[in-house]
Amino acid sequence: MRIVADLGTCEGLGMCEAMAPDFFEVGEDGVVEVLDAEPGEEHRTDLTAAVDACPVLALALQG
Amino acid sequence: MSVERLVVVGASLAGLRAVEAARRAGYDGELVLVGDEVHAPYDRPPLSKAFLDPDGERGAGRVMELRTAEALRDELRVDLRLGTRATGLDTAAREVLLGDERVPYDALVIATGSVPRWLPGTDPGGPDGPLEGVTQLRTVDDARRVRDALEAGQRIVVVGAGFIGSEVASAARKRGLPVTVVEALDVPLTRSVGAEVGVACVGLHRAAGTDLRLGVGVAGLDEETPDGRRRVRAVRLTDGTTLPADLVVLGIGVRPATDWLEGSGVALHDGDRGVLVDATMATNVPGVWAAGDVAHVENPLFDGEQHRLEHWTNAADHGAAAARHALDPAAAEPVVTVPYFWSDWYGHRLQFVGTPRAEEARVVVDDLATGGGLVVLYRREDRVVGAFVVDLPRVVMKLRRRVLDRGPWEEAVAFATDAGTPASR
Ligand SMILES: Cc1cc2nc3c(=O)[nH]c(=O)nc-3n(C[C@H](O)[C@H](O)[C@H](O)COP(=O)(O)OP(=O)(O)OC[C@H]3O[C@@H](n4cnc5c(N)ncnc54)[C@H](O)[C@@H]3O)c2cc1C
Ligand code: SF4
């Protein structure tokens, strides 16, 4: 599974970080940083919640 | 009783998340989504932000569809009734009334959101009909009106210095247009975020060159009728001033869209008539659930206090939860969420997490004037219950976590002070 973040779309609203702080962090520039882009399958539920929570639809899971 | 027919009324964010969650939970029965707008669900926050930007900028004039009508029908197998208004609810027969049509349900999710208030004499449905040049900002059509006025460089008066009104002012200033904001309170936003934050917000308006009139109300609107149609010409204020205006944008608050529920037996709030639900989104009527802007929800995180929030994330989360619970009431659990809201003013990012109902609001970082950020923390007893942050995107979700964990006050103050000071940035 791969986390894909569209940094041009991300507005740094941070909901992904709220849902899955181990994988996302909003940086100083107000854009998300993906901390681990290839997480294990056991994190799928948390990551799906994070992807769905993004108000500007900037995130996707592949695979 | 197992659910074979789930009906969701209100086809915006909360309603959309409800039908998505139903299918995701494996629900295979009939799924009806009723919405009175003709558009498929679209995103509202950009309407007062990127949508208003000058041509060429990202998102300018563009509507963000959350899901197309085709996707709803084909992928989610939704019986989609757009342009259709629910007019009543018969809880005894378990039927939603759409004019003469009756749509039966086993479970119902109410997601009709809220509608902006009009000033007296401006409601298009009122006895005098529409008053041209006066608009609210809730729908795509409203946003187009505001955008056209900005494009034409018209004189804009905003009534109400809340979040939406302030974003409109911001859009005008971005184009270098003069704009006046009229606010009845001496300090804006006191009810939603408290006076400390209100004062900071006044500073943002003034620094951006917005003409902010505080502590004055609207006494009336001057009209002209050039071609037999009523058109606004100026706004008269209670202090005797008259402000000429081509477009008046009303941002004076919303009320829950529950007219269709009056007399149905679904319990409504005494004050604003929002739907009362418990922490699982259940109303007092079996099989009937509610979520989003329309609902007063009990939040276990804040001692069971009830909130009616007008926040994007709240509508999204609670819409999904309401549908899951409607399909499997036995498994319904209280939803614990930290309310979260953001707003963009004059290039600044404002963010709020938690609740402003507190014993103390303390300004712990105050560097806006010098190009830095602002952090205000809210305390109940010895725990942190809320945070308002400007231009420090890195700290917000870390404060949210502390609110969720009922974190100790002193630690939150120390964290925010440290994270917000220039040296650590
Ligand atoms: C301009 C603007 C900017 C915003 N900016 C932000 C922001 O920056 N951050 C943030 O957190 N939130 C923001 N919000 C708030 C956020 O958009 C709302 O909280 C969210 O839209 C609520 O979703 P909802 O589905 O509960 O209600 P709504 O979006 O109000 O949807 C309810 C739907 O139900 C329909 N409906 C009503 N009555 C009936 C009926 N009787 N029959 C059928 N259909 C009916 C309505 O037409 C509407 O389509 C903003 C809102 C606006 C308008
Ligand atoms: S939720 Fe979306 S907008 Fe917000 S930081 Fe994450 S990716 Fe960016």
Side-chain angles (χ1 to χ4, degrees):
Chain A
M1 180 172 44
R2 222 188 133 67
I3 301 176
V4 186
D6 176 349
L7 299 185
T9 303
C10 170
E11 292 201 18
L13 294 166
M15 281 313 292
C16 51
E17 180 178 336
M19 296 295 153
D22 293 342
F23 298 95
F24 303 96
E25 187 172 16
V26 177
E28 191 49 51
D29 52 355
V31 174
V32 72
E33 227 176 275
V34 179
L35 304 177
D36 174 2
E38 303 204 341
E41 195 51 35
E42 68 276 20
H43 300 293
R44 186 174 287 275
T45 313
D46 283 354
L47 290 171
T48 305
V51 168
D52 285 350
C54 175
V56 295
L57 319 178
L59 299 173
L61 288 182
Q62 282 178 0
Chain B
M1 187 188 67
S2 87
V3 174
E4 282 161 25
R5 206 178 155 84
L6 175 66
V7 176
V8 177
V9 182
S12 179
L13 182 61
L16 172 69
R17 285 302 149 91
V19 298
E20 289 173 343
R23 287 299 184 223
R24 188 172 285 167
Y27 171 67
D28 205 31
E30 279 188 67
L31 190 50
V32 184
L33 179 61
V34 180
D36 66 351
E37 291 187 75
V38 294
H39 312 280
Y42 57 89
D43 209 20
R44 295 190 203 282
L47 297 180
S48 50
K49 303 181 183 71
F51 185 91
L52 301 180
D53 280 348
D55 278 339
E57 299 213 19
R58 192 162 56 89
R62 235 190 63 218
V63 177
M64 268 254 296
E65 233 178 32
L66 293 169
R67 231 181 228 264
T68 62
E70 294 71 48
L72 280 164
R73 291 195 168 109
D74 301 343
E75 292 164 26
L76 293 180
R77 289 171 291 127
V78 170
D79 175 2
L80 184 61
R81 312 282 191 90
L82 295 177
T84 306
R85 167 171 284 273
T87 49
L89 175 65
D90 183 339
T91 50
R94 293 205 177 212
E95 290 172 338
V96 174
L97 278 54
L98 312 176
D100 292 336
E101 189 187 351
R102 287 177 164 257
V103 177
Y105 65 85
D106 298 321
L108 171 69
V109 175
I110 297 169
T112 43
S114 51
V115 286
R117 294 173 195 278
W118 292 101
L119 280 175
T122 62
D123 185 342
D128 304 326
L131 177 58
E132 273 179 41
V134 179
T135 188
Q136 311 170 318
L137 182 43
R138 184 82 194 170
T139 66
V140 178
D141 302 320
D142 296 339
R144 291 221 168 89
R145 256 190 300 278
V146 176
R147 188 164 199 280
D148 289 347
L150 290 167
E151 288 278 303
Q154 293 189 343
R155 291 166 304 181
I156 297 182
V157 172
V158 176
V159 182
F163 288 104
I164 288 176
S166 299
E167 289 185 339
V168 172
S170 198
R173 294 304 301 143
K174 185 166 186 179
R175 292 167 182 260
L177 297 172
V179 63
T180 306
V181 179
V182 179
E183 168 60 54
L185 299 173
D186 293 327
V187 178
L189 296 167
T190 35
R191 195 184 53 88
S192 54
V193 282
E196 293 74 12
V197 170
V199 168
C201 289
V202 171
L204 293 178
H205 283 297
R206 299 243 151 98
T210 292
D211 179 5
L212 178 62
R213 311 283 179 96
L214 295 172
V216 281
V218 173
L221 299 173
D222 288 342
E223 308 172 9
E224 55 193 11
T225 42
D227 44 12
R229 298 207 305 248
R230 296 166 69 220
R231 202 184 146 73
V232 76
R233 197 179 54 200
V235 181
R236 270 181 292 111
L237 304 184
T238 47
D239 65 1
T241 325
T242 298
L243 304 169
D246 303 306
L247 185 74
V248 178
V249 183
L250 304 179
I252 50 176
V254 298
R255 60 178 184 83
T258 54
D259 292 350
W260 65 290
L261 296 172
E262 291 291 345
S264 67
V266 171
L268 304 179
H269 188 271
D270 282 340
D272 70 8
R273 311 305 286 158
V275 179
L276 299 174
V277 300
D278 66 13
T280 70
M281 316 300 141
T283 69
N284 63 317
V285 177
V288 181
W289 308 72
D293 277 19
V294 79
H296 285 267
V297 187
E298 230 172 75
N299 192 333
L301 190 57
F302 306 120
D303 319 311
E305 207 170 78
Q306 280 206 322
H307 297 262
R308 194 179 66 74
L309 301 171
E310 295 156 16
H311 301 175
W312 195 98
T313 54
N314 173 69
D317 292 354
H318 287 181
R324 284 195 304 269
H325 297 171
L327 294 170
D328 188 1
E333 280 184 5
V335 180
V336 179
T337 42
V338 181
Y340 170 57
F341 181 86
W342 78 95
S343 184
D344 294 327
W345 300 18
Y346 312 110
H348 298 282
R349 163 62 52 82
L350 285 58
Q351 290 167 291
F352 189 86
V353 290
T355 176
R357 296 188 207 162
E359 289 154 35
E360 180 191 1
R362 191 185 297 176
V363 182
V364 296
V365 178
D366 189 6
D367 298 329
L368 276 182
T370 52
L374 173 86
V375 180
V376 180
L377 296 180
Y378 299 77
R379 178 183 67 79
R380 274 192 207 172
E381 293 173 354
D382 56 0
R383 75 183 254 229
V384 58
V385 292
F388 178 86
V389 177
V390 181
D391 290 344
L392 290 166
R394 213 165 47 81
V395 308
V396 178
M397 290 300 146
K398 296 176 179 70
L399 289 168
R400 178 186 182 278
R401 160 87 20 212
R402 286 168 168 79
V403 173
L404 182 64
D405 295 343
R406 302 164 197 259
W409 170 253
E410 289 305 336
E411 192 278 334
V413 171
F415 164 76
T417 309
D418 182 51
T421 48
S424 73
R425 272 189 274 136

